[in-house]
Amino acid sequence: MRLVISFLAGGLFGAGLHLSGMTNTAKVQGWLDVFGDWDPTLAFVMGGAMIPMGLAWLATRYRKSALSGTAFPPPPSTTIDMRLVLGSVFFGTGWGLVGLCPGPVLAALSYGGAGVWIFLAAMIAGMGVAPKIIDRMERAMPA
Amino acid sequence: MDWIWGLIGGLLIGTGGAVYLLGNGWIMGASGIIGGLVDGSGRSTRKERLVFLAGVIAIPAVLSLIFGRVDTNLTANWPLLLIAGLLVGVGTRIANGCTSGHGVCGMSRLSLRGFAATAVYILAGGISLLIFRHVLGVI
């Protein structure tokens, strides 16, 4: 059952990214580029996504566990640390440079051409070295 | 008309996240799902992760075959793609999340970290465009 749910969730996520225009990097960069030809689409995507997701979080209060029997995630941490800020600065900078982030790069993989594959390869490489960087950060700045 | 498609797509994205949370009990974060496969931290849920990613790739492939493809307008500048991909890969793992995990899933549960991360990566994205597009003119 978990596999069916995973595929269904992935499919809905992919369909949403595709139909919303989020695989079009011009729209993503257009949202970030307040000094250029500003494009508000991303706000509608984010706002639209928060509605069913917010309802789902509400529903978790009234259920003991997920359908699969797994416990729901614990309440979120409230610690805003260096990792969160620095990581988000790196991510945002790369996101702005080409207009791709981890979801849309996969949604566009079948039709986006070589550039999407190059970005994906570099992203995977980055994810591969990240644990080493995190390790160094935590040794330099113990929590 | 673009905003209507944005809203429809957003609702689908959120429904995907809702299905993942209520069905499997997990937070739908693209960078976490991919990253766990890359660094091995998600070994115990490898199959679920792969099947999720297959859905993310396959459904847009089918939709683009039926309704025509979306133009990605992606840059053809290879070095730029490599640098951006590295930054996105490293950054999302250091921050423990991206637009789906911190943005959609985090903010919808009023997570402080979700709001903080989203504010920072949007601001960084805006500054990135300001510098590289408007000041340096390289993108």
Side-chain angles (χ1 to χ4, degrees):
Chain A
M1 188 178 72
R2 274 193 192 164
L3 292 176
V4 177
I5 291 168
S6 297
F7 187 80
L8 185 65
L12 284 164
F13 183 47
L17 289 170
H18 178 80
L19 294 175
S20 63
M22 290 300 99
T23 58
N24 177 357
T25 60
K27 294 197 81 63
V28 175
Q29 288 185 318
W31 151 264
L32 293 170
D33 190 6
V34 284
F35 299 98
D37 192 6
W38 192 66
D39 185 328
T41 310
L42 194 143
F44 287 94
V45 181
M46 193 55 102
M50 304 264 276
I51 298 168
M53 201 58 225
L55 292 174
W57 282 118
L58 268 180
T60 62
R61 294 191 191 173
Y62 303 98
R63 293 186 58 93
K64 275 210 176 90
S65 63
L67 287 176
S68 66
T70 312
F72 290 122
S77 154
T78 52
T79 320
I80 295 171
D81 51 13
M82 202 56 195
R83 263 187 69 177
L84 189 79
V85 175
L86 202 62
S88 297
V89 167
F90 287 163
F91 165 44
T93 305
W95 190 38
L97 278 178
V98 301
L100 278 178
C101 57
V105 68
L106 295 177
L109 203 60
S110 61
Y111 56 80
V116 177
W117 288 86
I118 296 163
F119 179 91
L120 179 66
M123 185 179 91
I124 288 173
M127 288 178 166
V129 299
K132 288 200 177 116
I133 298 171
I134 292 166
D135 202 43
R136 286 213 170 173
M137 279 179 73
E138 286 183 344
R139 252 182 292 165
M141 291 174 290
Chain B
M1 279 304 284
D2 281 7
W3 67 270
I4 296 180
W5 283 109
L7 194 60
I8 293 169
L11 288 168
L12 286 170
I13 293 168
T15 306
V19 165
Y20 206 60
L21 177 67
L22 297 175
N24 283 349
W26 299 329
I27 292 171
M28 188 187 75
S31 60
I33 294 170
I34 305 168
L37 286 170
V38 174
D39 65 24
S41 60
R43 213 173 283 123
S44 61
T45 50
R46 192 166 157 268
K47 272 189 200 153
E48 286 89 341
R49 288 165 191 266
L50 287 170
V51 167
F52 175 88
L53 298 178
V56 184
I57 298 168
I59 301 303
V62 173
L63 290 175
S64 68
L65 282 177
I66 301 171
F67 302 108
R69 41 167 291 191
V70 172
D71 198 342
T72 58
N73 287 307
L74 185 62
T75 175
N77 184 332
W78 284 38
L80 193 66
L81 285 163
L82 287 172
I83 293 165
L86 270 175
L87 282 168
V88 169
V90 169
T92 53
R93 290 306 274 163
I94 292 178
N96 249 322
C98 58
T99 353
S100 46
H102 279 314
V104 175
C105 297
M107 292 200 296
S108 63
R109 74 190 300 206
L110 306 177
S111 155
L112 187 65
R113 280 171 60 83
F115 281 107
T118 305
V120 172
Y121 62 66
I122 287 179
L123 193 65
I127 294 172
S128 175
L129 273 156
L130 175 66
I131 295 174
F132 295 103
R133 175 171 288 172
H134 297 292
V135 178
L136 302 175
V138 290
I139 59 171

